[in-house]
Amino acid sequence: MSKQKEVTKEMFFNEVAKYISDPQSIAMINKAYDFAQKAHEGQLRKSGEPYFIHVLNVAYILATLTAGPQTICAGLLHDTMEDCGVTFEEIETNFDHDIATLVEAVTKIGSLKFKDEKEYLAANHRKIFIAMAKDVRVIIIKLVDRLHNMRTLMYQPEEKQKKISSETLQVYAPIAHRLGLAEIKNELEDLSFLYLDPQKYHEIAHLLENKKSERQAIVNQMIVNLDHLLSDKKIEYRIFGRSKHIYSIYRKMITKNKRFDEIFDLYAIRIITKNELNCYEILGYIHNAYKPINGRLKDYIAMPKMNMYQSLHTTVLDGNGNIFEVQIRTEEMDMVAEMGIAAHWAYKEGKYNSAAEQKEIENKLGWFHDMISMMNESKLAHPTEFMSQIKKDIFEANVYVMTPKGRIIELQNGSTPLDFAYRVHTEVGHNAVGAIVNGALVPLDTVLKTGDVVQIKTSKQSNGPSEDWLKIVKTTTARNKIRAFLMKKENDMRSEMIAKGEKYYSDEVKRRNLDEKLFLDKSKLETIYGQLNINNYDELMYAVANKSISIAQIVEKLQKNKNTSMADNESLTKMIQEKQAKKDKRSKVSTSGVIVEGISSMMVNLAGCCMPVYGDEIVGYISKGQGVKVHRKDCPNIINEKNRLIKVMWNPQQQETQYDSWLRLDAQDYNYLINDIVTMLAQYKVSLYGIKSESLPDKVNTFVEIKVKVKDLEQLQTLMANLKKIEAVNEVTRITK
Ligand code: MN
């Protein structure tokens, strides 16, 4: 982060004059300048500075992004509605409808509350935010507004600093990234990180500072070498080194579990050239002179990224073992890379005859349409694919509905008021009797749309969920809650029946004057279960209650058994004991299920590091005094061993053993993740033996490690494939401890 210069009126207008010369536009900007200055007169920021300084800074940054005159004006006026009571009409009369609309949208979006982190997922906030903004200029103004607020966050109390920073990291930085505003994204991330974890921030900043001159020397040498290589090739180019921002280093250290120096081994160089062909030519010369690292060549020119980023990336080694990541691109691509959508939006005088014309184009098209037209203009490869992805992301996957108090609830597409009710609260779901959507009473199976205001009518007298509800709900959480309710209800009913049966039976025994020692003794009753085709006491009493077994039947069977039961019991016990002994003996042979020729299986154990499961490719390692340890063939702990390895194989006769395995799930959207994982495990009848989880400081990405027991590789692979299907899960890997 560079130290910010104080922006003056002169600096601002100089910046504007770099690309806007039309006198009418300049006059309008002047007017907005004076208007905003007057409106904010007397207002001070926490820093003690006049409030207008903030507004001027926002407009200045917009000018550095070459925003159009209307956007600049809206930047100057962006806080006048909220803080000075200026009305829409006033701005419309003094300026124009377009500027008033922009200011209003910026104001509205600012009042969106991102309070309850636990309840909503950060990713969805971003979607709502973008969906509500409609015009990309609104988002850019809002991002720039937030950037300046972050730059001046030191004047806020600590609690507020943390809250604003975490919101910035969760909502604003990802939007900036999505729009390709790399510089703004990086600064937002670094500033947020500074306030969220000052210690880590300074630690990394310090490490960076320490290595700076040494690194600079290496990069400079490479620049000289490359310059030498390209100077006689008749290509225009500029070469420079790049620095990484602090938060990206930190994120890599966490997600890739690496130390600072392991990440920082990479030096970064960028070459800017004239056209696409030059990019590929330069790449050719570099690969000819330096050894490229396999698999690291990325052609984002032919296949642009989602946010329209284009560049060639390659990684090469210099003669001294230094690794360089080289990016090669044109001026235009570089501008898109740094400024993203703003680069496409850049105001170009002469291209449009008047600001009005530009406005008309922008008004006509929603911002998604704008994206399409921009994509077509820039001849990117797959505009339709990109669009359908965004549309799916925002409009198809979810609906956003509201409570009467304006709380936004995000639901899967196709959800009904019942899903909504269960999302609000389990009890609201259980007691739901009707729904009011946008003021009208509707059936509970009505499909909700984005923007619906939903209210649930509840009644304590309601009978609660029925089987039919399972067909109405769309979300897994609602379905699980209904199932749990139905199961509990059935259990309660069952317990009631059992108690009823028990009472009826004992009353009958007494009424018939039967021997209570015989007829009420559970162990005696046990002897007739088989004959009655039931499994336990509860089942017997349930059957008594619903009259599927009569008291007379029980009496008859018990009396018949009275004399023989002793002998039977004894033989049964003996049988069980024998069975148990057999089982014990077998499990003592070996728990590994692995055969090693010539070695007692007692001495064979599965390695704790890579934890092979039945079906894995395995190899034995002869350890000192501890017999043979069985590893997976690709276990990093034995990969360099040669002499002490021995061939081993799984014992096909032995498949009863359960094998431990640790899995790592990289995921985002933490909230329902654990629930989804547990549900999935239950579905595949796999038990969970351990769980560890940590969320990364952006609170969006997270990883969870789970320990499971499986019977073989096939079961493990099926499980992994299905865990990957969980929406929030990006990657599932087996880990080596
Ligand atoms: Mn502001």
Side-chain angles (χ1 to χ4, degrees):
M1 254 177 314
S2 55
K3 206 159 163 49
Q4 304 303 326
K5 274 180 290 175
E6 205 177 304
V7 175
T8 61
K9 183 174 183 177
E10 199 193 346
M11 276 169 70
F12 167 60
F13 278 99
N14 281 342
E15 197 62 39
V16 169
K18 282 184 187 169
Y19 67 101
I20 300 177
S21 57
D22 165 42
Q24 244 180 311
S25 300
I26 296 290
M28 187 170 67
I29 294 169
N30 256 302
K31 191 176 171 190
Y33 185 97
D34 295 337
F35 188 99
Q37 194 170 34
K38 195 159 165 247
H40 289 292
E41 197 157 34
Q43 294 176 355
L44 296 179
R45 300 198 89 204
K46 281 255 158 58
S47 59
E49 287 175 323
Y51 194 90
F52 181 70
I53 297 284
H54 162 66
V55 170
L56 178 58
N57 269 281
V58 168
Y60 175 77
I61 301 169
L62 288 169
T64 63
L65 294 169
T66 61
Q70 267 125 335
T71 313
I72 300 273
C73 288
L76 285 164
L77 300 169
H78 83 269
D79 277 331
T80 57
M81 275 192 194
E82 201 182 356
D83 299 339
C84 318
V86 172
T87 63
F88 184 91
E89 287 72 24
E90 272 177 85
I91 298 181
E92 198 180 21
T93 7
N94 278 288
F95 300 93
D96 61 29
H97 181 77
D98 199 30
I99 295 176
T101 310
L102 285 176
V103 174
E104 188 187 49
V106 171
T107 309
K108 261 194 193 158
I109 254 189
S111 62
L112 258 187
K113 292 281 176 283
F114 299 120
K115 254 188 208 157
D116 201 338
E117 285 166 29
K118 273 183 203 156
E119 197 153 17
Y120 321 124
L121 312 178
N124 292 328
H125 277 157
R126 301 199 292 269
K127 289 176 199 163
I128 300 165
F129 187 103
I130 291 174
M132 282 187 71
K134 291 201 180 75
D135 185 332
V136 72
R137 292 176 299 171
V138 174
I139 301 177
I140 292 175
I141 297 170
K142 196 65 207 164
L143 283 172
V144 170
D145 176 38
R146 175 53 62 110
L147 176 63
H148 187 250
N149 287 333
M150 287 302 295
R151 284 182 184 170
T152 50
L153 202 59
M154 60 282 218
Y155 302 110
Q156 298 288 351
E158 197 188 326
E159 197 192 334
K160 208 163 172 198
Q161 287 176 342
K162 291 232 185 311
K163 191 178 162 281
I164 292 177
S165 296
S166 109
E167 188 185 270
T168 302
L169 202 54
Q170 287 180 62
V171 181
Y172 290 86
I175 292 170
H177 176 65
R178 186 62 166 265
L179 298 180
L181 293 151
E183 264 185 294
I184 291 182
K185 184 208 96 182
N186 290 348
E187 193 177 343
L188 287 175
E189 283 185 345
D190 275 0
L191 284 165
S192 306
F193 186 41
L194 167 65
Y195 291 104
L196 289 173
D197 196 342
Q199 202 189 333
K200 272 264 153 51
Y201 176 93
H202 290 297
E203 206 177 290
I204 294 173
H206 187 69
L207 286 165
L208 272 173
E209 195 55 41
N210 273 349
K211 297 236 172 171
K212 205 172 172 185
S213 57
E214 181 193 328
R215 292 179 55 80
Q216 198 61 53
I218 293 173
V219 169
N220 286 345
Q221 185 54 51
M222 187 62 165
I223 292 177
V224 169
N225 294 346
L226 286 172
D227 191 45
H228 187 71
L229 177 71
L230 299 171
S231 59
D232 59 344
K233 300 289 193 292
K234 289 185 186 139
I235 300 175
E236 272 179 46
Y237 62 87
R238 297 187 279 135
I239 309 177
F240 46 93
R242 307 178 276 121
S243 56
K244 289 204 158 81
H245 75 291
I246 293 176
Y247 187 67
S248 77
I249 293 170
Y250 173 71
R251 192 167 35 202
K252 269 201 184 137
M253 286 166 71
I254 296 289
T255 54
K256 307 222 161 124
N257 197 17
K258 287 196 166 152
R259 291 188 321 273
F260 177 82
D261 38 311
E262 288 177 283
I263 288 162
F264 225 56
D265 264 358
L266 205 70
Y267 298 92
I269 297 263
R270 180 175 304 155
I271 304 177
I272 309 287
T273 183
K274 207 172 168 201
N275 57 42
E276 250 179 54
L277 184 65
N278 294 155
C279 293
Y280 291 102
E281 279 177 313
I282 291 174
L283 180 73
Y285 291 128
I286 292 176
H287 279 188
N288 208 20
Y290 298 94
K291 189 180 159 45
I293 294 178
N294 259 350
R296 294 294 295 268
L297 173 64
K298 300 259 161 59
D299 184 354
Y300 294 119
I301 292 181
M303 293 287 287
K305 283 192 193 178
M306 288 279 272
N307 58 17
M308 297 184 280
Y309 175 91
Q310 285 188 294
S311 191
L312 293 176
H313 290 189
T314 186
T315 305
V316 297
L317 292 163
D318 71 357
N320 307 315
N322 297 315
I323 307 170
F324 288 86
E325 194 196 56
V326 185
Q327 301 179 342
I328 310 164
R329 56 209 195 202
T330 65
E331 290 287 354
E332 204 186 327
M333 292 171 189
D334 193 48
M335 205 152 104
V336 174
E338 296 299 320
M339 294 165 52
I341 207 161
H344 289 274
W345 209 258
Y347 178 72
K348 293 178 193 94
E349 259 182 343
K351 190 170 179 188
Y352 307 103
N353 289 328
S354 65
E357 201 173 323
Q358 188 190 12
K359 176 180 70 188
E360 204 190 77
I361 297 166
E362 290 169 4
N363 277 349
K364 223 183 274 168
L365 312 162
W367 90 276
F368 293 108
H369 290 98
D370 291 335
M371 280 252 197
I372 290 185
S373 63
M374 281 186 301
M375 308 275 304
N376 289 339
E377 264 170 39
S378 57
K379 286 178 279 169
L380 297 186
H382 305 290
T384 43
E385 203 174 287
F386 173 75
M387 284 309 301
S388 70
Q389 184 57 40
I390 288 204
K391 259 168 80 181
K392 221 173 121 192
D393 257 27
I394 296 177
F395 294 121
E396 282 164 30
N398 300 301
V399 294
Y400 304 98
V401 297
M402 271 181 284
T403 66
K405 282 184 181 161
R407 203 175 105 196
I408 295 168
I409 306 261
E410 172 261 347
L411 295 165
Q412 217 175 311
N413 205 8
S415 291
T416 62
L418 271 182
D419 293 293
F420 173 89
Y422 277 103
R423 182 59 60 80
V424 172
H425 196 281
T426 308
E427 286 309 308
V428 174
H430 287 344
N431 295 319
V433 290
I436 298 169
V437 174
N438 305 325
L441 197 65
V442 299
L444 285 172
D445 61 356
T446 307
V447 173
L448 297 174
K449 301 183 303 299
T450 290
D452 282 348
V453 178
V454 187
Q455 199 175 355
I456 298 297
K457 290 179 70 148
T458 60
S459 164
K460 281 274 168 250
Q461 269 76 54
S462 111
N463 294 327
S466 64
E467 289 277 341
D468 294 342
W469 284 21
L470 290 171
K471 289 180 208 132
I472 297 176
V473 296
K474 177 89 183 176
T475 54
T476 325
T477 28
R479 190 166 298 125
N480 287 345
K481 283 173 181 174
I482 294 169
R483 281 219 186 97
F485 179 93
L486 293 174
M487 255 162 76
K488 186 172 178 297
K489 193 168 153 192
E490 205 185 295
N491 266 334
D492 287 351
M493 262 169 53
R494 210 180 125 79
S495 320
E496 230 171 80
M497 287 289 275
I498 291 165
K500 200 172 138 195
E502 212 166 12
K503 178 159 190 310
Y504 176 63
Y505 177 69
S506 76
D507 285 353
E508 278 300 295
V509 168
K510 281 171 200 145
R511 197 178 65 79
R512 296 181 189 203
N513 250 332
L514 296 165
D515 178 4
E516 291 187 23
K517 267 188 193 141
L518 171 63
F519 287 91
L520 295 182
D521 184 340
K522 285 188 186 176
S523 69
K524 299 284 191 309
L525 283 169
E526 248 171 50
T527 61
I528 61 168
Y529 291 168
Q531 290 159 281
L532 293 168
N533 238 338
I534 53 149
N535 295 309
N536 55 46
Y537 179 76
D538 284 353
E539 273 181 34
L540 178 64
M541 290 307 150
Y542 189 86
V544 168
N546 72 16
K547 306 264 193 298
S548 61
I549 292 175
S550 69
I551 305 287
Q553 269 176 294
I554 300 175
V555 172
E556 184 210 308
K557 297 269 178 340
L558 273 178
Q559 267 165 350
K560 210 170 160 190
N561 269 12
K562 196 175 165 186
N563 299 318
T564 52
S565 63
M566 288 297 266
D568 279 355
N569 260 348
E570 262 167 36
S571 67
L572 189 70
T573 314
K574 213 170 159 194
M575 225 168 82
I576 291 170
Q577 276 168 355
E578 272 168 16
K579 231 180 175 174
Q580 192 63 43
K582 219 169 162 185
K583 205 172 160 193
D584 286 351
K585 204 173 148 201
R586 195 162 47 180
S587 69
K588 265 182 200 134
V589 172
S590 161
T591 50
S592 68
V594 175
I595 304 171
V596 185
E597 247 170 281
I599 292 182
S600 148
S601 51
M602 292 289 285
M603 294 293 282
V604 179
N605 287 301
L606 299 178
C609 52
C610 53
M611 292 187 274
V613 307
Y614 191 93
D616 270 325
E617 281 201 64
I618 46 172
V619 66
Y621 173 78
I622 307 163
S623 66
K624 282 184 192 136
Q626 288 184 53
V628 174
K629 287 266 185 222
V630 178
H631 289 261
R632 267 149 67 187
K633 248 194 179 131
D634 55 0
C635 175
N637 292 336
I638 48 112
I639 210 120
N640 293 321
E641 293 287 345
K642 295 240 159 57
N643 301 332
R644 304 173 72 161
L645 296 184
I646 176 174
K647 209 177 139 190
V648 298
M649 56 190 261
W650 294 106
N651 183 350
Q653 256 85 59
Q654 189 179 12
Q655 291 204 20
E656 285 165 53
T657 321
Q658 292 263 307
Y659 298 88
D660 288 341
S661 184
W662 273 101
L663 299 177
R664 173 184 164 119
L665 290 84
D666 285 286
Q668 47 180 194
D669 295 356
Y670 182 77
N671 292 49
Y672 300 102
L673 182 61
I674 302 291
N675 188 22
D676 286 348
I677 292 173
V678 172
T679 309
M680 186 66 78
L681 290 175
Q683 208 173 326
Y684 289 88
K685 298 199 167 52
V686 174
S687 321
L688 183 63
Y689 285 84
I691 188 157
K692 271 198 292 190
S693 122
E694 198 172 312
S695 67
L696 301 176
D698 61 7
K699 293 204 186 136
V700 178
N701 293 303
T702 179
F703 68 84
V704 178
E705 293 179 0
I706 56 172
K707 185 184 182 186
V708 294
K709 278 188 196 292
V710 292
K711 75 178 199 316
D712 57 20
L713 186 60
E714 198 186 326
Q715 192 189 15
L716 183 65
Q717 283 169 340
T718 310
L719 176 68
M720 286 170 71
N722 282 291
L723 285 169
K724 219 181 150 177
K725 284 186 196 152
I726 295 176
E727 209 188 317
V729 173
N730 297 327
E731 201 55 64
V732 180
T733 38
R734 279 174 80 178
I735 46 181
T736 300
K737 287 279 164 185

